Amino acid sequence: MTATVIDGKAFAAKVRGLVAEGVTKLKEEQGITPGLAVVLVGEDPASQVYVRSKGKMTVEVGMTSIEHKLEVDTSEADLLALIDQLNNDPKVHGILVQLPLPDHLDSDLVINSIDPAKDVDGFHISNVGLLGTGQKSMVPCTPLGSLMMLRDHHGSLSGMNAVVIGRSNIVGKPMAQLLLGDSCTVTIAHSRTKDLAAVVRQADIVVAAVGRPQMVPGDWIKPGATVIDVGINRIDKPEGGTRLVGDVDFDSCAEVAGAITPVPGGVGPMTIACLLANTLTACCRANGLPEPEGLTA
């Protein structure tokens, strides 16, 4: 293997440390404690694990963690009423509604009912529009974490050729906007891109966010390119059981790339770290205070 492995776990710990410092400063100098409210509807096992992890880390950095666990048959009216209550609570600076929601709830309606200033997931249509026009917004956590790692590894990204594989609203599109904001030349590729391999081979930066296990082989990678693997896929092991892999074939890509994120331990840990960073940023903005350095786009 020739590539430098970008340690997302260690970098996320560094980000959480910076958040904790910012929280301590807010408490000591302003008497303000950032508050993050997480709403979970139903009992999806993966969502329950995420919510527990988010709550634990929120407390560890000194923030107030507020959890609302609702029954799976909670009505849309009741959920919207809770969000309205959180929107109007000055002690709540960030609101996250855990996805996916049960089928009878309209996810777009629910997300767009959150106060955009408290939308720490960055999914509200207002934040999407602000990001797309280069204005100050709340930025989706996974793309923000990916951008932080790229900046940390390269310094300036100006003039680099970036290919984002995947066009989701959660990762692909906002990732492209962030890279454009850092003056990259950006291509969004997807399942219908003609000669995808040739497109990817032109990239100095490859962000794989397509949701297909080990889709990108090493011979698609330009020698020395940086590969950010957003995918988290569970596949069967020959000897039984399962293991987690990304959207790129790590072993073959690591032979060619200059730097690469592993799965697990790459982008994944950065998502919750950036959720905490976004909550701190939202708190500072709400109180007219300077934003924390190095924790925003």
Side-chain angles (χ1 to χ4, degrees), residues 18 22 35 49 195 244:
L18 292 173
V49 171
D195 199 353
L244 290 178

Side-chain angles (χ1 to χ4, degrees), residues 171-248:
V171 180
K173 291 175 184 175
M175 187 76 244
Q177 296 291 352
L178 290 172
L179 290 166
L180 278 171
D182 270 30
S183 298
C184 291
T185 299
V186 183
T187 300
I188 301 179
H190 46 79
S191 60
R192 298 193 180 184
T193 299
K194 291 182 179 178
D195 199 353
L196 179 59
V199 172
V200 176
R201 285 191 195 105
Q202 302 302 309
D204 304 307
I205 296 169
V206 178
V207 180
V210 72
R212 291 177 56 186
Q214 300 174 316
M215 173 184 163
V216 179
D219 63 4
W220 287 18
I221 302 300
K222 177 181 177 180
T226 299
V227 179
I228 303 293
D229 191 350
V230 179
I232 301 178
N233 311 284
R234 193 171 290 279
I235 63 169
D236 294 328
K237 295 191 290 188
E239 66 273 21
T242 61
R243 66 187 180 101
L244 290 178
V245 299
D247 288 353
V248 308

Side-chain angles (χ1 to χ4, degrees), residues 16 19 36 54 57-58 61 63 141 271-281:
R16 291 196 306 273
V19 171
L36 172 61
K54 288 168 184 171
M57 292 188 186
T58 302
V61 298
M63 294 183 182
C141 301
T271 299
I272 294 181
C274 288
L275 174 68
L276 301 174
N278 276 351
T279 303
L280 177 60
T281 297

